Amino acid sequence: MRKPWIVGVLAAVVLLGACGDPASGPEAAPPPDVPRASVTTHQRAPAAPSASTDASAAVKAPTVLYLGDSLAMEAQKVLGQELRRGSRVTYTSAPYSGTTLCDYLEGTGERSLVPVADKAAALVRRVRPDFVVLQFWGNAWGYTPCMDGITHDASPERYFKRYAADMERLADQIAAAGDARIVWVSQGPDPITPDRVRRVNALYEKQAGASGDLVAAAGEAVSAAGARYSWVRYLPCTAYERAHAGYCTQAGRDRTALHRDDDYLHFCLAPTTSTPKPCPVRSPGILRIAQAITRVIRENP
C-alpha cells in the first residue's frame, strides 16, 4: 500500500537535489566583500522628496537576508522584486537546495551542503541585515549529511526533536552575530505527510513566540480556505492574479495552478533543470509566498 508514496518521496528527493546552485542567481555578481554565492542588490535612491512626501518615507529601508532550501532558490528573484517594490530595501539571498537548518549552522564543516562563507552567522556579520528570512520545507529524508541520518519516516519524534534543537541553535548563532530579526516562513501542505508540516510550522511559531521573532504566513497563502493542511494543485485566482497576465493560469475557470503535474512540492511552473536557478516563469504560488514574506517585513519596521 505504501509503494505509491515511496515513489513520490524518491521523486521529490531528486527534485530537491536538482534545485541547489545559488551561484546561478539572475542578478549582477556581488561586490568583493559579499560571499560569492550571495545575490545583493541596491535600489537606486529616489529623487529628493517633495514637501508632500509621507512621513513614513523617512523610515530607513531595511536590509533583508534570505536563506533556505529549494523553495527559497526558486523564489529568490521574485522576493527581491516584491521587497523593492516602492522601497529602497537592500536584499541579499544565498539559498542552497536540499538543505535544512543544520546546513547553515557554523561548526558543521564538511558535513554541510553550505560552504563556510555562506553560513547564516557569517552572512549576518558581513551583510548586517535587519531581517533574516528563513524558508525551509523541513528536509525529512536525511538528504544532507548534517542530519546524521535522522529521518521523519524512521523516527518522527527524533526528527522533530532534532529540528527544534537546530532551530534554537541557528537562532542563537544569528543573534550572536548581529541585531537581525528572524522571519520564519511557514510551509504549505504536504500531501505525503501532512502532519509533519503542521508540526514543523508549530515549531516555527513556538520559536518566534519565545524569541520575539516573526512568522510569515506563506503556507496559508498557498492553502485552500478552511483547509490549511489539505494539499491542492489549484486555488481560486486572486484579484491581483486576474489583473496580471500569466498569473491566473486557468482564467476561464477562475483558478490558478500552484504546482506542476509532476512536482507536488515546488511552486515553479517551469520544469526543474540540472543547473538550478530562480524560477524563470510567472508562478502564482511563488508570488503568493513572496507577498506574504514582504507583508510581514513591512508591517514590522
Side-chain angles (χ1 to χ4, degrees):
M1 294 295 290
R2 290 176 56 86
K3 185 174 181 181
W5 292 122
I6 294 173
V7 172
V9 169
L10 291 175
V13 171
V14 172
L15 289 167
L16 275 171
C19 298
D21 180 12
S24 63
E27 303 181 57
D33 61 339
V34 177
R36 177 188 57 79
S38 305
V39 177
T40 302
T41 59
H42 301 269
Q43 181 160 324
R44 186 185 302 275
S50 64
S52 61
T53 299
D54 189 271
S56 63
V59 177
K60 175 184 175 292
T63 295
V64 178
L65 174 62
Y66 184 38
L67 308 177
D69 55 20
S70 57
L71 296 180
M73 168 62 69
E74 66 181 7
Q76 61 180 311
K77 183 176 180 180
V78 175
L79 178 59
Q81 292 170 342
E82 290 302 308
L83 287 169
R84 292 191 300 267
R85 194 181 302 280
S87 177
R88 293 176 296 170
V89 168
T90 299
Y91 172 68
T92 302
S93 61
Y96 284 83
S97 295
T99 59
T100 191
L101 298 167
C102 60
D103 287 289
Y104 281 91
L105 286 169
E106 291 191 316
T108 49
E110 295 180 355
R111 296 170 52 253
S112 168
L113 301 181
V114 175
V116 173
D118 282 351
K119 299 297 188 183
L123 285 171
V124 168
R125 287 190 291 269
R126 190 181 296 266
V127 177
R128 312 304 298 178
D130 300 293
F131 295 93
V132 178
V133 180
L134 300 176
Q135 182 169 12
F136 293 93
W137 175 80
N139 188 313
W141 306 312
Y143 186 82
T144 172
C146 69
M147 281 297 289
D148 300 317
I150 299 173
T151 65
H152 177 268
D153 185 58
S155 180
E157 293 311 313
R158 190 180 177 202
Y159 164 81
F160 289 120
K161 183 177 180 179
R162 171 62 184 274
Y163 203 82
D166 285 344
M167 286 181 63
E168 186 173 355
R169 285 183 62 198
L170 189 59
D172 287 346
Q173 289 189 2
I174 290 172
D179 298 322
R181 195 171 189 186
I182 294 175
V183 178
W184 300 95
V185 180
S186 69
Q187 297 307 306
D190 176 359
I192 296 178
T193 54
D195 189 59
R196 184 194 63 80
V197 173
R198 186 196 305 270
R199 292 185 63 176
V200 165
N201 286 340
L203 291 175
Y204 292 155
E205 294 280 358
K206 181 178 179 180
Q207 178 66 33
S211 62
D213 289 324
L214 304 166
V215 175
E220 185 175 341
V222 291
S223 302
R228 174 64 178 85
Y229 289 100
S230 296
W231 186 88
V232 292
R233 191 178 303 280
Y234 300 95
L235 282 178
C237 295
T238 65
Y240 182 95
E241 290 162 357
R242 296 186 195 102
H244 293 78
Y247 282 116
C248 188
T249 61
Q250 295 185 1
R253 303 176 69 178
D254 193 35
R255 71 177 193 175
T256 196
L258 298 180
H259 306 277
R260 288 173 52 85
D261 291 343
D262 58 356
D263 187 347
Y264 74 85
L265 173 59
H266 298 97
F267 294 92
C268 183
L269 297 184
T272 56
T273 65
S274 59
T275 54
K277 59 190 67 178
C279 186
V281 300
R282 290 189 170 188
S283 299
I286 289 177
L287 179 63
R288 291 182 183 210
I289 288 169
Q291 288 175 336
I293 295 170
T294 299
R295 187 177 307 116
V296 76
I297 288 176
R298 289 183 175 171
E299 291 175 353
N300 292 275

